[in-house]
Amino acid sequence: KMNTSLDQSIESGDLKKDIAKKGIVGDYIMDITVVGPKSVVQTIFCESDESTNIKMQNDLKEIIKKIKFDIEMPKDRRIKFRYTFHL
């Protein structure tokens, strides 16, 4: 469900606008932890190699930190998932 939410936001939502505004391109693999009850991003860990543009990766990370997912979660619940951004 988290992946679908990110997919939709990248295709036509605010995430698309923010990414375009910063000019972010490339592939980025991130482990994202979302915590309830407000379903906000708590942590983001990025995988990178020598071909990763670190500045763009950090810009993307800042954009993702602002996301609030539209799901209900109990107060003490966390969801960790991996997402690959193809931009």
Side-chain angles (χ1 to χ4, degrees):
K1 188 165 184 172
M2 303 296 222
N3 287 347
T4 304
S5 179
L6 274 175
D7 288 342
Q8 289 171 347
S9 190
I10 289 171
E11 288 171 19
S12 60
D14 290 339
L15 202 51
K16 179 180 181 177
K17 294 174 198 164
D18 292 341
I19 288 169
K21 190 176 180 180
K22 292 276 190 180
I24 300 170
V25 294
D27 294 334
Y28 304 93
I29 300 170
M30 300 187 177
D31 292 326
I32 302 168
T33 303
V34 176
V35 64
K38 295 183 180 180
S39 302
V40 294
V41 175
Q42 184 179 46
T43 60
I44 302 170
F45 292 102
C46 305
E47 277 194 18
S48 57
D49 58 24
E50 64 280 344
S51 66
T52 303
N53 182 320
I54 301 299
K55 182 185 179 334
M56 285 189 185
Q57 175 180 278
N58 290 340
D59 287 345
L60 180 58
K61 207 168 138 178
E62 290 304 313
I63 291 168
I64 295 167
K65 282 182 183 176
K66 298 175 189 171
I67 295 175
K68 182 177 182 241
F69 288 90
D70 190 22
I71 61 166
E72 289 185 29
M73 291 174 53
K75 184 177 176 180
D76 57 348
R77 179 76 196 267
R78 293 173 188 219
I79 296 175
K80 183 176 181 178
F81 66 100
R82 176 167 282 206
Y83 190 85
T84 302
F85 292 87
H86 299 288
L87 310 170

